[in-house]
Amino acid sequence: MFIFSTKVTRGKLLTLALVCACLAIILIVSVPGGEVDTAKKISLKASTNEQRVEYLESYGWTVEKEPKETVEIVIPTQFDDTYENYNTMQLTQGFDLVSFKGKKATRYSYTVTNYPKSQEDPVYATLIVVDDRIVAGDIASTSLGGFMHSLVMPKDTVLEFETVKDELLPTATEILDGILLSSGK
C-alpha cells in the first residue's frame, strides 16, 4: 500500500488548476469538429453519379452533372511526399487514405461551375471512391501555378447570390469580375 500526503498550499492549488486547464484545452482541441463533423453527417455513399454530385453540392459546389473524367486507380501501398501531403489535407476533412493503401479505387473529376474566384482554366472537384464510398476529395485547378484545397468552399471569397435562370441577369463570373474591377484588382 502506498500513502501520499502533502500540505495544500496556494501554489499547489494553482499548479493543479493550471494542469487541469491544460488538459481541458488539449481535450477540446483533439475532439474532431468543424469540417470533420460535416464529412461524418453527409452520406458518403457514391454508387451512383447522383450521390456523388449530391455530396459535392452539400459543400456548396455546383458541378456539371456528368464527370469530366473517370479513372480507375490503385492507392499506393507506400506513400511518397505527394501522397503524404494529400492525406494530410484529407485528414482535415475526416478522411484517411492510410487504411486504403493498395486498394483499387475510382477517381471521378467534375467541372466546377461556381468557383468563387474567376479562373481562366477550369476548376475540378475530384472524389476518390472505394467500394462505393467516398474516401477522399479535393478542389483543384490544373492550370500553371494552379491550386488544390479541401472540398470546403473558401470562406473569404464566397459571395452569397441566388441562382436565377434569366438570360438578362449577369452571371456569377460577371458579378465577380465587376467587383474585382471596381476594387482595382
Side-chain angles (χ1 to χ4, degrees), residues 73-76 79-88 97 128:
I73 63 171
V74 175
I75 298 171
F79 287 178
D80 60 8
D81 287 344
T82 302
Y83 254 91
E84 286 292 342
N85 290 335
Y86 187 74
N87 196 48
T88 299
L97 289 172
I128 297 177

Side-chain angles (χ1 to χ4, degrees), residues 33 63 67 82 110 141 164 174 176:
V63 297
T82 302
Y110 294 86
S141 167
V164 179
E174 292 169 336
L176 287 170

Side-chain angles (χ1 to χ4, degrees), residues 9 11 17 23 26 33 36 65 82 95 101 112 115 117 161 184:
T9 63
L23 289 174
I26 290 171
V36 175
K65 296 302 178 193
T82 302
F95 296 124
K101 286 182 175 182
V112 173
Y115 197 78
K117 287 185 178 182
F161 58 91

